[in-house]
């Protein structure tokens, strides 16, 4: 029987293959998202016997400077934006440089590729504890080295800007391997003929990188920058383990403000509203990033 005949005799077969994914998507993505919107429209306090409807009041409270949730949330948003602004350039340029090096032919190349990617498979708790030890003000290895060369100890985790430096360095070490692998895959997909033609035209390394590599990686850049911004905006584990949001609330991020509101204060309605405001902001940023970095056809 032909393939066309099989499709006519078994019209439900494609849907059966897709069904498990659809069920999981509805159960663990769409369902919780819809339920979260419903929660954000109620005074969903676990300490209350009922969950009264408040409409958009939770969202309006986020815009009211006299509200008790105004400062914690927007302080978290400010800190999140600051972390994105500081970390994303490093999380894009360093992996790009590593991928250019790892794309060259040299002995042990596969080993070094594995070394670069390995930290990414570690859990945030492991990474946080490791760097918490390294940057410990009293017994940390970093301050031990500074003392050994006659420099004063630094309070890495309890003063600014040292606390942000610690969090950014931790994040870079932990996550650059993923972006490096993505860039490396993109580099290996570029036609070698383009580089040969550019070299025949007298283009140097910088010219080849600028006119061949960068345009060829446009879609890779779009993916890496967008996913890196989204991942950085969801910062939680590193400051929670390393600084507990301090000193003061200077490293308390938006996600930490939500968890404090929902899981410590038991006010899930306002926490849900916070999460959707953050999601909306990230949606606009992703759209803007796509519009800026998309390939423009010559008119």
């Amino acid at each position: 029987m032909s393939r066309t005949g099989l499709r006519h005799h078994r019209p439900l077969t494609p849907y059966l293959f897709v069904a498990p994914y659809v069920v999981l998507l509805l159960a663990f993505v769409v369902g919780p998202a819809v339920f979260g919107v419903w929660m954000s429209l109620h005074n969903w306090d676990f300490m209350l016997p009922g969950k009264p409807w408040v409409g958009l009041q939770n969202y309006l409270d986020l815009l009211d400077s006299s509200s008790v949730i105004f400062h914690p949330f927007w302080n978290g948003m400010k800190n999140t934006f600051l972390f994105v602004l500081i970390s994303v350039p490093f999380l894009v340029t360093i992996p790009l440089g590593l991928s250019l090096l790892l794309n060259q032919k040299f002995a042990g190349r596969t080993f070094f590729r594995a070394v670069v990617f390995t930290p990414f498979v570690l859990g945030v708790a492991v990474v946080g504890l490791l760097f918490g030890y390294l940057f410990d003000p009293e017994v940390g290895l970093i301050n031990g080295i500074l003392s050994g060369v006659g420099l004063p100890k630094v309070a890495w985790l309890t003063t600014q800007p040292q606390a942000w430096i610690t969090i950014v360095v931790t994040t870079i070490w932990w996550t650059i391997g993923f972006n490096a692998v993505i860039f490396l895959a993109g580099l290996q997909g570029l036609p070698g003929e383009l580089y040969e033609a550019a070299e025949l035209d007298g283009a140097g390394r910088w010219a080849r990188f600028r006119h061949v590599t960068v345009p060829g990686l446009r879609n890779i850049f779009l993916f890496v920058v967008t996913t890196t911004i989204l991942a950085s905006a969801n910062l939680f584990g590193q400051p929670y383990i390393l600084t507990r949001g301090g000193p003061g609330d200077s490293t308390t991020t938006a996600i930490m403000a939500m968890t404090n509101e929902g899981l410590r204060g038991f006010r899930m309605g306002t926490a849900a509203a916070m999460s959707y405001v953050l999601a909306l902001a990230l949606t606009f940023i992703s759209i803007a990033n796509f519009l800026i970095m998309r390939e423009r056809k010559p008119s």
Side-chain angles (χ1 to χ4, degrees):
M1 184 180 292
S2 66
R3 293 183 180 179
T4 305
L6 283 173
R7 283 199 295 269
H8 285 300
H9 282 279
R10 299 177 182 175
L12 296 180
T13 301
Y15 300 101
L16 291 176
F17 280 108
V18 176
Y21 171 78
V22 173
V23 170
L24 292 174
L25 179 67
L26 292 174
F28 295 103
V29 179
V30 178
V34 173
F35 186 61
V37 174
W38 178 255
M39 291 176 63
S40 71
L41 302 176
H42 292 75
N43 184 5
W44 204 282
D45 191 327
F46 287 135
M47 305 301 291
L48 297 176
K51 308 293 186 290
W53 170 272
V54 295
L56 297 177
Q57 188 59 49
N58 287 329
Y59 294 93
L60 295 176
D61 287 343
L62 295 177
L63 303 176
D64 184 0
S65 59
S66 63
S67 170
V68 295
I69 63 174
F70 178 86
H71 173 75
F73 176 66
W74 290 109
N75 176 70
M77 291 287 282
K78 179 197 70 175
N79 292 337
T80 298
F81 177 76
L82 177 63
F83 176 76
V84 170
L85 196 64
I86 296 172
S87 65
V88 169
F90 292 107
L91 293 172
V92 173
T93 56
I94 295 177
L96 176 60
L98 287 173
S99 66
L100 291 171
L101 291 174
L102 295 173
N103 197 41
Q104 305 300 314
K105 294 181 179 179
F106 58 89
R109 180 175 64 171
T110 302
F111 169 76
F112 286 106
R113 288 177 177 177
V115 168
V116 169
F117 183 76
T118 297
F120 184 72
V121 305
L122 299 175
V124 65
V126 176
V127 175
L129 291 174
L130 172 63
F131 278 83
Y133 165 73
L134 290 176
F135 286 99
D136 187 277
E138 300 300 327
V139 298
L141 179 62
I142 303 300
N143 274 348
I145 294 174
L146 293 178
S147 299
V149 297
L151 296 175
K153 292 183 177 181
V154 177
W156 294 104
L157 305 178
T158 55
T159 57
Q160 290 290 15
Q162 289 85 349
W164 273 124
I165 292 174
T166 302
I167 293 171
V168 170
V169 169
T170 302
T171 305
I172 291 173
W173 180 85
W174 180 33
T175 61
I176 58 172
F178 178 79
N179 286 348
V181 169
I182 299 299
F183 276 125
L184 183 60
L187 288 172
Q188 293 177 342
L190 296 179
E193 295 82 1
L194 295 178
Y195 289 98
E196 295 174 1
E199 191 171 0
L200 290 174
D201 289 338
R205 288 187 176 182
W206 171 247
R208 294 197 299 272
F209 173 77
R210 180 182 176 186
H211 297 291
V212 178
T213 304
V214 172
L217 294 177
R218 180 184 296 273
N219 291 334
I220 301 297
F221 272 111
L222 176 61
F223 173 80
V224 168
V225 172
T226 302
T227 56
T228 302
I229 290 175
L230 296 178
S232 297
N234 284 278
L235 176 70
F236 174 78
Q238 300 93 301
Y240 182 79
I241 296 173
L242 292 171
T243 65
R244 297 291 180 179
D249 58 3
S250 61
T251 59
T252 300
T253 63
I255 300 294
M256 293 178 71
M258 295 173 204
T259 57
N260 289 336
E261 182 72 11
L263 301 181
R264 290 186 177 179
F266 304 111
R267 295 177 291 273
M268 296 300 295
T270 50
M274 291 178 178
S275 70
Y276 283 100
V277 171
L278 176 61
L280 185 63
L282 293 179
T283 299
F284 283 127
I285 291 174
S286 299
I287 293 173
N289 185 44
F290 175 79
L291 294 176
I292 293 171
M293 300 186 66
R294 66 178 177 175
E295 186 174 0
R296 293 174 175 82
K297 296 181 180 180
S299 55

